[in-house]
Amino acid sequence: MAIHANTDLTRTKGLQYTSQQLMWATIMHLAFVVSAVLLGYLEQIMNGLKKK
């Protein structure tokens, strides 16, 4: 399976995004942020269990 970066999103000159594109970009970004926070929390829990 090939994964390609959307090169249209990397250009900054004169691009107009629709509200739907911005919504999905925000949702995807928040999903990554939430998963990173949860992974950090789980790591803290696991470190706490190892010390006992």
Side-chain angles (χ1 to χ4, degrees):
M1 176 169 71
I3 299 174
H4 301 283
N6 188 351
T7 56
D8 289 337
L9 293 177
T10 59
R11 296 185 199 131
T12 56
K13 291 185 178 181
L15 286 181
Q16 297 292 324
Y17 296 108
T18 65
S19 59
Q20 189 171 10
Q21 287 174 313
L22 288 174
M23 177 192 69
W24 281 111
T26 303
I27 289 170
M28 288 189 302
H29 179 74
L30 288 175
F32 282 113
V33 170
V34 168
S35 67
V37 169
L38 289 175
L39 284 172
Y41 182 67
L42 286 174
E43 185 176 352
Q44 282 186 338
I45 291 173
M46 295 305 291
N47 284 335
L49 291 176
K50 289 180 184 176
K51 291 179 182 177
K52 291 183 178 181

